[in-house]
Amino acid sequence: MKKNIVLIGFMGVGKGTTARAYAKKYGVFNIDTDDLIESKENQRIKMIFKEHGEGYFRSLEQDCADWIEKSVDNSFISCGGGFYKVNNLKKLGTVVLLDASYDWIYNRLSTAENSKSKLKKRPLFAEPKKAKKLYEERAKIYKKLADKVVNVEDKNIDEILENIHTLTYI
Ligand code: S3P
């Protein structure tokens, strides 16, 4: 079994921020699946969606998962919100869900300092109504796939990091 921590959850729940803080605090490497895909394609996610469509983006996520399965261990992996669809997620490490309600996530994104760019770079958040529907469709699937669940509402970053560490420390 791999010793990666694989962080899943809905867009905007704070996976990237959490992952970077975790890596710094516990001295591990963090890799982010969206960043890997952008660097492999030399293109922003938004443009990949626009030019090639969502199906192509999902195939890049699968390539990314295959590479992680073959080549990555002892790392913290933050995943795009739809990465759970890859067919080998559970082989990549301990799957941790960052969980929060849709309203909390929407509020976090829309009140962030750089809220415009946070919303703009996420094509599937372009229409809040559609995003909410997507959240409702995915919420149960995330929970089913997760080995551990960390609710982030009303928690500061240190509490979140400690929760993850305690739940995954072997
Ligand atoms: C997606 C989430 C995004 C990114 C892409 C698709 C999704 O990542 O991978 O826009 O399907 O939920 P974040 O969860 O980091 O926003």
Side-chain angles (χ1 to χ4, degrees), residues 6-126:
V6 181
L7 196 64
I8 64 166
F10 200 66
M11 293 175 277
V13 73
K15 289 166 294 185
T17 308
T18 304
R20 286 186 293 275
Y22 189 97
K24 173 84 181 148
K25 180 162 181 174
Y26 295 107
V28 293
F29 281 104
N30 160 232
I31 57 173
D32 181 276
T33 61
D34 285 345
D35 291 347
L36 287 171
I37 288 169
E38 286 190 340
S39 64
K40 178 170 177 280
E41 294 292 290
N42 192 20
Q43 198 170 34
R44 294 280 177 207
I45 304 261
K46 199 180 162 205
M47 290 311 292
I48 299 175
F49 267 73
K50 201 171 163 190
E51 283 183 13
H52 308 281
E54 182 174 345
Y56 180 66
F57 177 73
R58 298 299 171 205
S59 74
L60 293 171
E61 290 192 309
Q62 185 62 58
D63 292 348
C64 186
D66 294 343
W67 175 75
I68 292 169
E69 184 181 349
K70 235 196 260 163
S71 314
V72 181
D73 206 356
N74 302 303
S75 299
F76 197 101
I77 300 161
S78 42
C79 303
F83 192 81
Y84 71 89
K85 293 171 198 248
V86 300
N87 60 24
N88 51 348
L89 184 78
K90 302 287 280 184
K91 290 188 186 157
L92 306 184
T94 303
V95 178
V96 177
L97 168 65
L98 273 200
D99 193 34
S101 68
Y102 178 79
D103 289 344
W104 185 91
I105 291 171
Y106 187 72
N107 190 50
R108 175 180 183 269
L109 281 182
S110 51
T111 57
E113 219 174 80
N114 47 349
S115 125
K116 257 198 186 155
S117 80
K118 275 188 180 292
L119 288 168
K120 222 170 121 191
K121 74 173 189 183
R122 298 182 160 100
L124 298 179
F125 230 116

